[in-house]
Amino acid sequence: MSLPIIGKKVFVEVPSTTANLGPGFDCLGAALDLKNLFTIQRVEGNGERFELIMESTEGNHLRGGPENLFYRAAQRVWNAAEVEPFALEARVSLAVPPARGLGSSATAIVAGLVGANALINNPLSKEKLLELAIDIEGHPDNVVPSLIGGLCFTAKAASERWRIVRCEWDSSIKAVVAIPSLRLSTSEARRVMPKNVPISDAVMNMGSLTLLLNGLKTGKEDLISEGMHDKLHEPYRWKLIKGGLAVKDAAMRSGALGCAISGAGPSVLALCKEDLGKRISQAMVKAWESEGVASRAPLLSLQTEGSRWYPGKIVGSST
Ligand code: HSE
């Protein structure tokens, strides 16, 4: 397979995601309409040359090198497609803030996979990209919806294969995501999890999950309210999120149908009907403010398209 010419460029849009939705620890995740935009280009140099330039809405310019998840993902594409690595530059316009529980790492993995694949004319199938993405991140509930969009339930079947079920989400249901200035890494949030849980907690989560999936499918508010409960990770993680329970309380008092930690936190997600979104958002921000934590709380919809790439104009000339 021939390498792309130097200067070949693609754009990749990757949505944010909320993982562990309610009782769906490590399996249920949804894509939301807040996205990172990556511009990826083959540049002069050998396969070890990689530079990631991040431009965030806060105006800071961060840089990353070959240790970045984006580059590790691109390498997995080159290995699987049996092409020689080549030098890359990636710029990301960052709307999904890092370490907030909105799948920012998943956007880097997915952009690395989709972008590297697109630059070599897409030899790898979407199924292969999904398999690589789950393998790189280690859990499926961010990377799967980030790649294919929508509400995704991903389970490792008894056959050891990953199986993905795309679930329905009634469009009347929206998500307010309160994003604090606090950061929390997934590894830290995983460290506080117990190795075993009581069987009664596991049974409760299975019941809640069934109610929630039916509620999201039909838009029935009582099913969503009864289903948005978790006993597998939240009881251990709330203590890592300063003011988190007060923010949840404020959302529920303002009419949210249910409220949960988004991913591993610290963002807090509330499900609601659109007309209550503004009130819930203001209440969540105010609750965090009284704990001395700055935040913002956008009202988001389900993003159903997943990641998309577009060809860019070729910059420069020689091969
Ligand atoms: N399911 C993962 C966890 C999501 O809770 O650790 C992290 O983004």
Side-chain angles (χ1 to χ4, degrees):
M1 189 177 307
S2 63
L3 296 185
I5 63 169
I6 289 170
K8 184 171 179 184
K9 192 193 257 187
V10 294
F11 300 107
V12 187
E13 273 181 10
V14 191
S16 56
T17 44
T18 184
N20 301 330
L21 186 62
F25 178 70
D26 264 1
C27 53
L28 187 63
L32 298 173
D33 58 356
L34 180 73
K35 57 182 187 276
N36 283 342
L37 174 65
F38 294 78
T39 307
I40 304 152
Q41 190 176 358
R42 182 179 175 200
V43 289
E44 301 264 7
N46 66 25
E48 274 144 47
R49 179 169 169 218
F50 172 72
E51 193 170 14
L52 178 73
I53 301 145
M54 289 174 256
E55 293 160 0
S56 86
T57 42
E58 291 143 22
N60 45 341
H61 293 250
L62 308 165
R63 279 170 186 265
E67 73 295 342
N68 192 275
L69 280 170
F70 178 102
Y71 186 64
R72 282 169 42 202
Q75 283 175 315
R76 296 290 294 268
V77 169
W78 295 326
N79 278 342
E82 299 179 355
V83 301
E84 240 179 83
F86 49 88
L88 271 187
E89 182 191 274
R91 284 179 179 267
V92 50
S93 161
L94 210 62
V96 184
R100 303 302 210 293
L102 286 169
S104 150
S105 308
T107 70
I109 294 169
V110 168
L113 294 171
V114 171
N117 198 35
L119 280 174
I120 53 173
N121 300 325
N122 295 306
L124 304 186
S125 65
K126 196 152 254 187
E127 288 65 36
K128 183 67 189 173
L129 297 184
L130 281 164
E131 184 195 309
L132 292 174
I134 298 172
D135 194 51
I136 297 167
E137 180 138 273
H139 54 84
D141 43 341
N142 290 113
V143 286
V144 172
S146 208
L147 197 49
I148 65 174
L151 173 64
C152 302
F153 185 94
T154 311
K156 194 171 228 178
S159 63
E160 293 286 306
R161 279 180 59 204
W162 287 105
R163 302 302 305 255
I164 298 168
V165 180
R166 205 133 181 280
C167 306
E168 289 173 59
W169 175 301
D170 188 272
S171 60
S172 67
I173 305 301
K174 305 288 173 196
V176 177
V177 188
I179 310 169
S181 50
L182 312 167
R183 287 172 174 239
L184 178 59
S185 74
T186 298
S187 52
E188 188 184 347
R190 284 189 96 87
R191 265 201 299 279
V192 300
M193 302 268 309
K195 293 258 176 302
N196 299 295
V197 293
I199 197 152
S200 55
D201 289 356
V203 171
M204 184 182 134
N205 265 61
M206 285 195 290
S208 300
L209 190 54
T210 309
L211 298 175
L212 178 66
L213 288 174
N214 276 287
L216 287 172
K217 177 177 172 178
T218 55
K220 284 190 184 153
E221 299 179 33
D222 60 324
L223 289 179
I224 297 175
S225 296
E226 298 271 34
M228 277 291 278
H229 297 282
D230 169 79
K231 292 218 169 198
L232 296 185
H233 77 114
E234 291 196 346
Y236 313 98
R237 287 175 164 176
W238 279 117
K239 62 174 180 286
L240 300 177
I241 305 172
K242 185 182 175 200
L245 281 170
V247 173
K248 174 178 175 172
D249 254 27
M252 296 309 290
R253 274 188 280 104
S254 306
L257 299 172
C259 195
I261 298 176
S262 179
S267 294
V268 176
L269 166 126
L271 295 180
C272 63
K273 293 279 183 178
E274 187 160 12
D275 55 341
L276 287 180
K278 195 165 174 200
R279 189 164 102 187
I280 294 168
S281 160
Q282 285 169 346
M284 292 173 94
V285 169
K286 201 162 159 215
W288 241 326
E289 202 177 290
S290 359
E291 303 278 335
V293 178
S295 67
R296 62 193 174 95
L299 176 66
L300 303 173
S301 298
L302 186 74
Q303 194 271 15
T304 53
E305 298 84 12
S307 296
R308 287 182 293 191
W309 74 271
Y310 310 91
K313 278 209 186 102
I314 292 172
V315 180
S317 54
S318 56
T319 50

